[in-house]
Amino acid sequence: MSNPNKLVIREWSEADRPREKLLNQGRRALTDAELLAILIGSGSKAESAVELCRRILVDAKNNLHTLSTMDVNELSEYNGIGEAKAITIIAALELARRKSDAPLEERKMLNSSKHVYDLMKPILQDLPHEEFWTLYLNTGYRILEKQLIGRGGNDFTPVDVRIILRTALSLKAHAIILVHNHPSGTLYPSNADKILTQKIADTSKIMDIRVADHLIFTDNGYYSFKDEGVIE
C-alpha cells in the first residue's frame, strides 16, 4: 500500500485535506501539524505540507511554545519553508501568544440582554438571511467564544445541537447564550424557536451547562427569552 503522506494534499481524499477538514469538522478537529500546513500552504517535492509540519513539530518536541522561539533563519532551514512561510508561522504564533496574554477583564461580560444585543448587533444587523449563533460564557459570564452554528434562508436556519454542546464542553463553558435574527422583522419567537430553545436547554442541563438566554434580533430591536420569563 502506498503511503498517503507522499501524495500532494490535493490528491488526498477530501476528508483528509486540512482546509476541507476545518470547513467540515471545525478547527478543533485539526492537529497542530494540519493547522500549520494551512498556514504554509504547500510543502516540497519530497513531502506534503502536513508531513513537513509534523517533522518541524517533532524537532520542537511537539511543543508550540518551543516552536514559537524559533526565528526565521531556523525555520528556513527546512526544505519547503522559505522566508515568507517562516514569517507567516512566527506571526500566527505571536498572535496566539498575545491572545493568551490578554487580561480576562477585557472580555465582554454578558450579564444582560442589552450587552448581548450591543455585541451582536454589528454582526446581525441588515442581514438578508437568517443566522444562528452561540455565545459561550465562563462562570463570570464573560465571553469565551462566539460561534456561527448555522446560516439559512429568510425564515429557517438548520441548527445542530451536537455542535453547540461539543464546543461548550471543549471550552469548559459554564453557560451559553443563543442568538439568531429574523430578517422578516418579526420580533417574537416562532413555535419552532421555542421548541429548539427548550431542546437545547434540556440537553445542556444534563451536562451542567446553563442556557442563560436566547435573543431574537430584528433591525429595530430584539426579544429576550430571559427578559420575557420564558427562560429562568
Side-chain angles (χ1 to χ4, degrees):
M1 181 181 293
S2 61
N3 185 348
N5 287 328
K6 296 304 180 183
L7 302 174
V8 294
I9 290 178
R10 65 175 176 271
E11 295 175 327
W12 295 13
S13 68
E14 184 171 320
D16 290 331
R17 298 176 201 165
R19 287 187 181 88
E20 285 80 358
K21 188 174 180 181
L22 188 149
L23 285 171
N24 296 327
Q25 301 180 41
R27 63 188 184 280
R28 296 182 183 279
L30 275 67
T31 64
D32 290 347
E34 289 169 333
L35 289 170
L36 282 174
I38 290 176
L39 289 176
I40 67 172
S42 62
S44 66
K45 291 182 179 180
E47 58 189 351
S48 71
V50 175
E51 189 175 29
L52 170 58
C53 290
R54 284 185 188 138
R55 187 158 58 87
I56 294 172
L57 284 167
V58 167
D59 290 346
K61 298 180 173 56
N62 288 307
N63 188 309
L64 291 177
H65 176 73
T66 301
L67 179 62
S68 70
T69 65
M70 298 175 70
D71 59 24
V72 172
N73 290 332
E74 290 174 305
L75 288 169
S76 297
E77 291 178 0
Y78 291 90
N79 184 26
I81 301 292
E83 183 179 85
K85 291 180 180 179
I87 290 172
T88 298
I89 292 173
I90 291 170
L93 291 170
E94 174 61 16
L95 280 173
R97 185 194 66 77
R98 293 184 186 187
K99 178 186 177 184
S100 65
D101 287 348
L104 189 62
E105 287 71 23
E106 291 182 3
R107 298 178 187 171
K108 185 75 173 177
M109 180 181 287
L110 300 179
N111 56 356
S112 75
S113 59
K114 181 61 166 59
H115 289 164
V116 178
Y117 178 73
D118 291 342
L119 175 71
M120 297 299 294
K121 183 177 180 180
I123 297 173
L124 294 173
Q125 192 171 34
D126 299 324
L127 281 183
H129 60 271
E130 190 172 298
E131 290 188 354
F132 192 103
W133 289 74
T134 301
L135 310 179
Y136 302 91
L137 312 177
N138 65 12
T139 53
Y141 277 68
R142 295 189 185 275
I143 187 167
L144 296 170
E145 189 170 312
K146 57 180 180 288
Q147 181 184 34
L148 175 62
I149 301 299
R151 181 185 289 112
N154 186 53
D155 60 358
F156 172 74
T157 301
V159 175
D160 190 334
V161 179
R162 294 170 299 180
I163 293 176
I164 296 174
L165 296 176
R166 184 165 62 241
T167 304
L169 290 171
S170 68
L171 291 171
K172 297 180 173 61
H174 169 75
I176 60 177
I177 294 176
L178 312 173
V179 180
H180 81 280
N181 63 312
H182 279 177
S184 64
T186 303
L187 192 58
Y188 296 100
S190 65
N191 285 334
D193 292 334
K194 295 176 182 177
I195 292 171
L196 176 62
T197 303
Q198 192 61 52
K199 177 181 179 181
I200 296 173
D202 290 344
T203 309
S204 300
K205 188 176 182 180
I206 296 173
M207 300 180 181
D208 202 25
I209 299 169
R210 180 170 178 255
V211 175
D213 203 349
H214 184 171
L215 265 68
I216 296 173
F217 276 64
T218 70
D219 289 343
N220 299 315
Y222 68 93
Y223 175 96
S224 164
F225 277 61
K226 181 180 179 182
D227 292 352
E228 298 298 327
V230 181
I231 288 179
E232 296 182 0

